[in-house]
Amino acid sequence: MEYIVVVLFAAAVFAAVILYLAFNQEQRERWLGVTFGIASVGGIAIYGTAHAHEATNLVAAIFETVVDVGRMFAGINNVSAFEKLVGADSKWMILFWGVHFLAYYSLASAIIMTVAKGMLKKIRTFFLHINDVELIYGITDNSLSYGRNIADKDHTSIVYVGTSTNGKESQISQMGGLLFSDSQALNPDAKFLQRLSVKRGKSKFRLCALSGNIDDNLEYAVKILRALEKAKVRPEQTEVILYGYEEHNGDMLQAVGDKYGYGTVRVFEKAELLARLLMQKYPICNAISFDENARATCDTNVLLIGFGRKGQELLEKIVINGQFEGSNFKVKVFDKNGRGTDGFFRARFSSLLDNYDISFENHDGRSRELALYLEENIDKLKYIAVAVGDDRTGREIAMNILEFMRGRGASLPVYQCCNDCVAKYELNSLVEKYSIFDANILYNGMMDDLAKKLNHYYMNNSASAKKNWADCNYFDRMSSRASADYQAALLNRLGLCNGQELPAEILENLAKSEHLRWNAFYYASGYKKMDIETFKKRARDAQASGNKRVSKDAEGKKHVCLVTWDELDEISDIENSIMGKDIDYKQKDRDNVLVIKGLLEK
């Protein structure tokens, strides 16, 4: 019995040592390199000196030295050659045996680490049979950060697929992940899914396509989708998170009716996600003062520096989230290359530029023109955002603005949309940053939680909130997001999510703000105002055909409600008189405020 106990415990200890070495691969490999280098240099010095001492043939002495140094790493020594040089009792023998120990240690460690890698990979591959599978396509700093954020999730195995590892294998190993870079993994088919133990009715499968190339991401997602369909994996088992273009990629990957697709599709466009993240973490309403009846008491003046892809997306979100009853809205945009890159933006969003006070300066964020603008307007500004495309330049601009304000007694924060995060810079405060690759944003989709609930409320059917969201088109998703983001920030800013009924005057001002927000969203979506005569004709035609939707022309991108708050009554009266309805467009804005308030309080 004692023999069995010894053998079992020895095996367990040896296995633990191997796994320990594998989990700390990066440090072990670094130390292995150090010991190998010391042993090699020491061995050459020791044996080279010893063989040169008795050499009758210089060439033979060189080869003898090389052979003895190589034999060192196999645990074999030529101690007699060195003893002839220094003597058997010399203190130099300590150096001799120390170098041999490091050589033997290097070889043993390399063997154990090789065994460890193989054993650990087999163990992790086994867990694919019983865990959910998280397949991450693309090996980048961002995808590794994402993997680390979800590494502690129970019953989930992380698998990376990619070729450009750049020495990041050890990071994947340390988070408990597997790495596949073979041809079958890069061109997945049903056999690859078998390797991952993904099959019909078994656990969950999620693909996160996060490489830097959005075309590669989509192509890989399509290949996986075909393999899933061939393997007859049910759509409800599957999910995809894709770095790409939501408007173009989302619908083609989503399972709808008899069309096979992923059960859940979450496509994000980085510039859009960054802009939303900035508005959620640092909403414009937090920089605005309000009276006791929720009416703004100051104008909303915004400075935006940078008008590339991020800057253009941010401008849309700023306009949508910067509308408040009682406040005049104004944006000044600085970008030295703005006139050379804004052509498609101006063509697509002409209504936005026509209906809001947005002016452009063709100057750099470090120019004297910007300094002069700040000199004249620093006391009026409420919000400053930087989105110049280069993180280092953006931070430099932010720091320059802070130093400028320090000398003038101002203390406005400066916000930056960086490459993968948003940051807040403020005098005498540490920098705050929020990454779009945070697990709660991508994995759990927390940014859309309230938008999903709002959409589910208005769908008013028996389907789940998740199913209703999956069936949403791009425009409806963006509409729910815009409303939820804006109202959640405003209600929290005013402290109105306390379960108490809103006084009539407060509700009215919030509804007016909501209508301003709604107008801005539609203008930012390319819509224009529908004239009254066209509206009346549509109403008469609808009455005859039984059509119910007359206020909105989605194909022509026109809406009759793109008017002031006071003009909404006329719109309601016209539609009611022709269609025989009892519609109140002002009440729709009031209801939207109350619905979101109720959802926030649940």
Side-chain angles (χ1 to χ4, degrees):
M1 183 63 181
E2 293 180 353
Y3 299 103
I4 296 176
V5 172
V6 170
V7 171
L8 290 177
F9 271 93
V13 171
F14 183 70
V17 170
I18 288 177
L19 293 177
Y20 172 73
L21 285 170
F23 271 110
N24 293 276
Q25 202 74 33
E26 187 173 5
Q27 295 299 323
R28 298 286 175 261
E29 290 179 354
R30 187 177 295 132
W31 174 243
L32 178 60
V34 172
T35 57
F36 180 84
I38 294 174
S40 299
V41 173
I44 292 171
I46 288 172
Y47 284 113
T49 304
H51 289 304
H53 178 67
E54 293 188 334
T56 56
N57 186 311
L58 185 60
V59 175
I62 292 173
F63 280 107
E64 287 177 322
T65 298
V66 173
V67 170
D68 279 338
V69 171
R71 282 154 49 97
M72 261 188 355
F73 290 93
I76 303 172
N77 66 76
N78 188 358
V79 66
S80 60
F82 194 64
E83 284 181 342
K84 290 178 182 179
L85 175 65
V86 300
D89 297 327
S90 171
K91 294 180 179 179
W92 287 102
M93 294 304 296
I94 297 174
L95 175 64
F96 178 87
W97 291 115
V99 169
H100 278 72
F101 171 78
L102 289 178
Y104 182 75
Y105 173 84
S106 298
L107 179 63
S109 295
I111 293 173
I112 291 175
M113 287 172 66
T114 301
V115 173
K117 285 183 178 180
M119 179 185 293
L120 191 60
K121 188 166 186 176
K122 289 181 179 179
I123 292 173
R124 289 172 176 167
T125 301
F126 168 77
F127 278 109
L128 291 173
H129 293 277
I130 58 178
N131 283 344
D132 294 338
V133 177
E134 183 88 21
L135 178 61
I136 302 175
Y137 174 70
I139 303 172
T140 65
D141 289 338
N142 290 325
S143 69
L144 290 172
S145 175
Y146 171 72
R148 282 190 291 270
N149 283 333
I150 64 171
D152 295 332
K153 185 174 177 62
D154 293 337
H155 308 300
T156 299
S157 292
I158 300 174
V159 179
Y160 277 86
V161 171
T163 53
S164 301
T165 60
N166 296 322
K168 294 182 171 65
E169 297 94 329
S170 60
Q171 296 183 45
I172 294 173
S173 179
Q174 287 173 20
M175 72 177 70
L178 287 164
L179 171 62
F180 294 129
S181 56
D182 55 279
S183 177
Q184 189 183 70
L186 294 170
N187 298 280
D189 54 14
K191 290 183 178 180
F192 178 61
L193 294 183
Q194 290 177 7
R195 286 171 62 186
L196 300 178
S197 297
V198 176
K199 55 187 178 182
R200 182 180 179 87
K202 182 261 174 188
S203 302
K204 296 286 187 180
F205 172 80
R206 184 203 304 260
L207 168 65
C208 297
L210 303 177
S211 82
N213 188 312
I214 60 177
D215 294 324
D216 288 348
N217 289 336
L218 179 60
E219 182 181 355
Y220 194 81
V222 171
K223 289 179 179 178
I224 287 286
L225 185 61
R226 290 171 180 164
L228 290 167
E229 184 175 16
K230 189 174 182 179
K232 298 182 179 179
V233 176
R234 292 197 297 262
E236 56 265 30
Q237 292 177 237
T238 66
E239 182 173 347
V240 62
I241 296 174
L242 182 71
Y243 170 37
Y245 295 114
E246 180 173 14
E247 189 170 4
H248 303 294
N249 301 157
D251 291 340
M252 66 180 294
L253 297 173
Q254 180 71 55
V256 179
D258 295 332
K259 171 178 168 279
Y260 189 84
Y262 291 96
T264 300
V265 177
R266 187 177 301 134
V267 186
F268 73 93
E269 202 276 322
K270 187 184 289 186
E272 181 180 310
L273 195 61
L274 283 166
R276 280 194 68 209
L277 183 61
L278 182 64
M279 292 296 100
Q280 282 198 357
K281 295 299 182 181
Y282 306 108
I284 297 177
C285 63
N286 285 358
I288 303 300
S289 57
F290 296 86
D291 64 20
E292 66 278 7
N293 292 315
R295 192 174 191 276
T297 59
C298 63
D299 290 337
T300 306
N301 291 313
V302 179
L303 170 63
L304 172 60
I305 302 171
F307 203 59
R309 181 68 190 92
K310 293 188 186 73
Q312 291 174 14
E313 191 67 48
L314 186 53
L315 177 62
E316 293 177 49
K317 299 298 185 290
I318 286 173
V319 175
I320 294 170
N321 289 274
Q323 306 302 315
F324 310 104
E325 172 63 15
S327 175
N328 293 314
F329 177 81
K330 183 178 182 179
V331 181
K332 176 71 76 172
V333 181
F334 275 79
D335 189 323
K336 68 176 181 179
N337 298 316
R339 291 178 183 171
T341 59
D342 68 352
F344 287 106
F345 182 91
R346 287 183 175 276
R348 184 180 179 187
F349 300 106
S350 59
S351 295
L352 192 73
L353 299 175
D354 290 342
N355 285 278
Y356 296 94
D357 189 351
I358 304 171
S359 57
F360 296 85
E361 296 290 340
N362 203 45
H363 299 292
D364 190 273
R366 296 159 293 186
S367 64
R368 65 180 67 179
E369 285 80 7
L370 177 63
L372 180 61
Y373 172 80
L374 288 173
E375 192 76 58
E376 297 174 349
N377 295 277
I378 193 63
D379 294 334
K380 303 175 186 175
L381 286 173
K382 298 299 179 183
Y383 202 89
I384 301 176
V386 179
V388 295
D390 179 76
D391 289 358
R392 180 178 295 182
T393 302
R395 188 177 188 279
E396 177 188 348
I397 291 171
M399 294 299 103
N400 286 341
I401 293 174
L402 287 180
E403 287 303 315
F404 177 91
M405 289 191 291
R406 186 195 300 274
R408 286 151 183 80
S411 58
L412 203 62
V414 180
Y415 305 104
Q416 182 184 2
C417 278
C418 305
N419 187 41
D420 301 308
C421 68
V422 297
K424 174 187 177 182
Y425 304 101
E426 196 168 16
L427 290 172
N428 304 317
S429 297
L430 295 175
V431 178
E432 292 180 1
K433 289 187 177 182
Y434 293 93
S435 172
I436 59 172
F437 289 94
D438 181 276
N440 286 328
I441 293 175
L442 286 187
Y443 194 92
N444 297 321
M446 281 183 59
M447 288 181 71
D448 286 339
D449 281 354
L450 185 59
K452 291 176 183 176
K453 294 177 183 178
L454 180 63
N455 175 70
H456 182 57
Y457 175 87
Y458 282 117
M459 291 299 292
N460 191 28
N461 58 26
S462 59
S464 67
K466 182 177 181 180
K467 181 65 169 63
N468 280 330
W469 188 254
D471 292 341
C472 256
N473 60 39
Y474 176 77
F475 182 88
D476 288 341
R477 285 189 185 186
M478 293 306 297
S479 178
S480 295
R481 286 168 175 161
S483 181
D485 288 353
Y486 174 88
Q487 283 295 337
L490 183 56
L491 289 167
N492 285 324
R493 161 70 178 85
L494 298 172
L496 297 175
C497 294
N498 50 19
Q500 298 180 357
E501 185 177 343
L502 291 178
E505 191 169 354
I506 291 180
L507 177 58
E508 196 72 358
N509 284 326
L510 289 175
K512 290 178 180 178
S513 292
E514 167 62 11
H515 182 63
L516 291 171
R517 193 277 318 163
W518 183 91
N519 279 355
F521 170 76
Y522 268 81
Y523 283 131
S525 300
Y527 273 73
K528 296 182 179 180
K529 178 184 175 182
M530 181 189 299
D531 64 80
I532 294 296
E533 291 307 314
T534 300
F535 174 55
K536 289 179 179 179
K537 182 179 183 305
R538 284 174 59 86
R540 288 191 291 268
D541 292 343
Q543 184 185 30
S545 64
N547 188 8
K548 296 181 179 179
R549 192 66 181 269
V550 299
S551 58
K552 178 180 177 180
D553 176 7
E555 186 175 344
K557 284 202 166 186
K558 291 184 178 181
H559 205 299
V560 73
C561 291
L562 286 169
V563 295
T564 66
W565 174 261
D566 291 335
E567 291 175 291
L568 286 175
D569 286 334
E570 180 186 2
I571 304 298
S572 300
D573 292 341
I574 292 173
E575 186 164 348
N576 291 335
S577 64
I578 297 176
M579 302 285 293
K581 291 183 178 181
D582 184 19
I583 194 168
D584 185 343
Y585 282 111
K586 284 184 176 179
Q587 190 59 41
K588 285 181 175 289
D589 289 319
R590 299 184 191 106
D591 290 343
N592 204 49
V593 173
L594 294 173
V595 168
I596 295 178
K597 180 178 183 293
L599 292 174
L600 288 170
E601 292 172 346
K602 286 185 178 179

